[in-house]
Amino acid sequence: MKGFEDKIAVVTGSARGIGFAIAEAFAQNGATAVILDLNQEDVNNAVQKIDDAGLRAIGFVADVTDSDSINNIFKEIHHKFEKIDILVNNAGITKDGLIMKMKESDWDAVINVNLKGTFNCTQKVIRYMLKQKFGVIINITSIIGIMGNAGQANYAASKGGIIALTKSSAKEFSSRNIRVNAIAPGFIQTDMTAKLPKEVIDKYTAAIPLSCMGLPKDIANLCIFLASDEANYITGQTIQVDGGLLI
Ligand code: NAP
C-alpha cells in the first residue's frame, strides 16, 4: 500500500522491536518516519537502516515520561514539517512481580512510561492535530490490559488504562477529524518477550490457536490500515492481534 507520501508519522520507542517495524512500515508506504527513543546510538542506527533502504526517517532522543522535552520535540517536528499527521504511542516497559512483593518504584516506572507517556505524547501532539483538523493516533496496548495477568499488575493496569484513554481521546477529538484507536498485541517476537523463560514462552505458544508467536510486522500492518483512509470510520476501538489467543 502507498498513499502516505506526504505524511509525517511519529512513533515512540521505535529504535527497535514493534516500534521500529511500525516506523519502517510507514516509511515503506511513503511517509517520513520520525523515530523517538531513549538512546542516541540506537536512534541513529534505526534512522540509518531506513535511510539505507532509500526511505525517509529522522530521529530524536526522547523520554516519553519527560513532558517538557516531549513538548519541545513535537514543537521541533512541527516547525520542520509544518504538520504532524500520525502518532503511534508504542514505548513500553515491563517490571514484573507479584503484587505482594512489587516495589513501589516498579509500579511507578511502568505506569509512568506506558500510561503517562501515552498521555504526554497525546497531549503535546494534539494542539497541532486540532489546528490542522486532521490526525491519527494509535496506542499500543496489550492483551494483558484486557485479560490481566498474575505477576503483571502494573503492566496490566497501564495497558488497561491505555484502552480507557483511547476511548476518551476518541470522544474528545473526533469532531476535529482525529481518530484514536488502540492495538492489543498478543505474544510478539521482540527483545521484550526474548527475556521470558522458555517454559513461559512454550506455555503461551501452546495456547495460541494459530500456534506461533506473532511478528512485529503483524502489528505494523494493522497500524498502516488504521492510519489509512480505508479506516476513516473507525475510532475508539481496541483491536487484538494475537493469533486468536483471547478467543
Ligand atoms: P521492546 O523491544 O522492549 O522495545 C521498546 C522500545 O521502547 C525500546 O527501544 C525502548 O528503549 C523504548 N523505550 C522504553 N522506555 C522508553 C521511554 N521512556 N521513552 C521512549 N522510549 C522508551 O518492546 P516491544 O516488544 O517492541 O514492545 C513495544 C510495545 O508493544 C510496548 O508498548 C509493549 O508493551 C507492547 N506489547 C508488546 C508485546 C510483545 O509480545 N512484544 C505484546 C503486547 C504489547 P530502550 O531499549 O533504550 O529501553
Side-chain angles (χ1 to χ4, degrees):
M1 195 196 287
K2 291 281 166 193
F4 287 87
E5 274 73 17
D6 61 339
K7 303 290 187 197
I8 308 301
V10 181
V11 187
T12 69
S14 50
R16 62 192 172 89
I18 292 171
F20 179 74
I22 295 169
E24 187 181 39
F26 276 115
Q28 284 165 344
N29 283 278
T32 298
V34 184
I35 308 264
L36 304 191
D37 213 305
L38 288 176
N39 178 282
Q40 182 74 67
E41 205 184 326
D42 293 347
V43 169
N44 292 347
N45 288 339
V47 169
Q48 191 65 50
K49 263 193 232 164
I50 292 176
D51 204 48
D52 286 348
L55 305 169
R56 284 192 301 274
I58 63 164
F60 293 87
V61 172
D63 179 346
V64 296
T65 66
D66 182 342
S67 130
D68 287 344
S69 133
I70 289 296
N71 195 31
N72 290 334
I73 288 166
F74 279 117
K75 211 183 273 177
E76 207 176 321
I77 298 167
H78 189 264
H79 183 72
K80 190 171 170 64
F81 298 107
E82 294 178 344
K83 65 189 191 121
I84 302 173
D85 301 287
I86 299 154
L87 166 67
V88 182
N89 284 305
N90 166 79
I93 61 168
T94 53
K95 285 190 185 291
D96 297 350
L98 296 170
I99 292 172
M100 279 278 287
K101 293 184 180 165
M102 186 173 288
K103 287 191 229 139
E104 193 178 337
S105 57
D106 286 348
W107 172 271
D108 288 346
V110 170
I111 299 290
N112 256 330
V113 175
N114 299 4
L115 182 54
K116 193 173 168 205
T118 300
F119 168 76
N120 281 339
C121 294
T122 300
Q123 191 186 47
K124 302 313 173 198
V125 83
I126 204 64
R127 53 193 275 219
Y128 304 111
M129 290 185 170
L130 288 171
K131 233 180 245 170
Q132 73 200 16
K133 295 197 175 66
F134 174 78
V136 173
I137 298 177
I138 299 168
N139 297 326
I140 306 300
T141 174
S142 166
I143 55 160
I144 302 300
I146 301 168
M147 66 189 236
N149 202 18
Q152 288 199 302
N154 48 0
Y155 186 74
S158 72
K159 294 298 189 178
I162 287 175
I163 294 171
L165 176 60
T166 300
K167 292 179 189 175
S168 303
S169 313
K171 286 186 174 178
E172 276 193 33
F173 308 142
S174 59
S175 65
R176 297 289 188 98
N177 193 26
I178 296 162
R179 295 184 295 104
V180 188
N181 289 291
I183 299 176
F187 208 38
I188 309 295
Q189 277 178 30
T190 67
D191 294 346
M192 185 181 266
T193 44
K195 55 188 185 198
L196 292 170
K198 187 179 175 308
E199 56 273 19
V200 174
I201 294 181
D202 289 347
K203 193 184 108 196
Y204 269 109
T205 309
I208 298 170
L210 287 178
S211 310
C212 59
M213 290 175 76
L215 299 173
K217 75 173 169 50
D218 295 321
I219 310 304
N221 289 341
L222 180 55
C223 277
I224 295 296
F225 170 69
L226 285 175
S228 76
D229 292 346
E230 309 297 313
N232 266 347
Y233 202 52
I234 302 175
T235 198
Q237 303 306 304
T238 297
I239 302 173
Q240 292 162 215
V241 180
D242 64 357
L245 184 57
L246 283 202
I247 295 171

